[in-house]
Amino acid sequence: MKRLIARGVVAVGLVAALSSCTNPYDPGQRAIGGGLLGAGAGAAIGGAVGGGHGAALGAAIGGATGAVTGVATTPPPPPPPSGYGYGPGYGYPPPPPPGYPPSY
C-alpha cells in the first residue's frame, strides 16, 4: 500500500513540475494540455463506469472537450514592461527645452 501511495505522489509531482513548463498565453499549448488532461480524466471516468470500451470513448470525448476548453480560456498576454528597450524609462532623459539649464 505504501508503494502505491509513493508512486502516486511521484506521479503527481512530475505532472505538476511539467505543467509549469508551458506558456499560458499560447492557445496551441493550452489546447494540448487541456486535451491531455481531458483525455486522462475521461479515460479514468469511462473506465470506471463502462470498462474498456467506456475508457476509449471517455478519452476521446474528454480530450476533445479539454482541447476546446483550453483554447477558449486562453487569457490575453500582459502588456510589455516599461523599462530596458520598451519605451519610456530607457536610456538618457530627454534634453531640457531651450533656455533652461541642463539637469545633471
Side-chain angles (χ1 to χ4, degrees):
M1 182 66 173
K2 287 185 179 183
R3 290 182 70 180
L4 182 62
I5 292 174
R7 287 182 181 176
V9 169
V10 169
V12 169
L14 288 174
V15 168
L18 289 177
S19 69
S20 65
C21 298
T22 184
N23 180 2
Y25 307 111
D26 183 17
Q29 290 183 13
R30 286 183 63 97
I32 292 171
L36 289 174
L37 287 173
I45 294 170
V49 173
H53 180 68
L57 187 59
I61 293 171
T65 304
V68 170
T69 304
V71 170
T73 60
T74 303
S82 63
Y84 184 76
Y86 292 107
Y90 171 68
Y92 295 106
Y100 284 92
S103 59
Y104 295 105

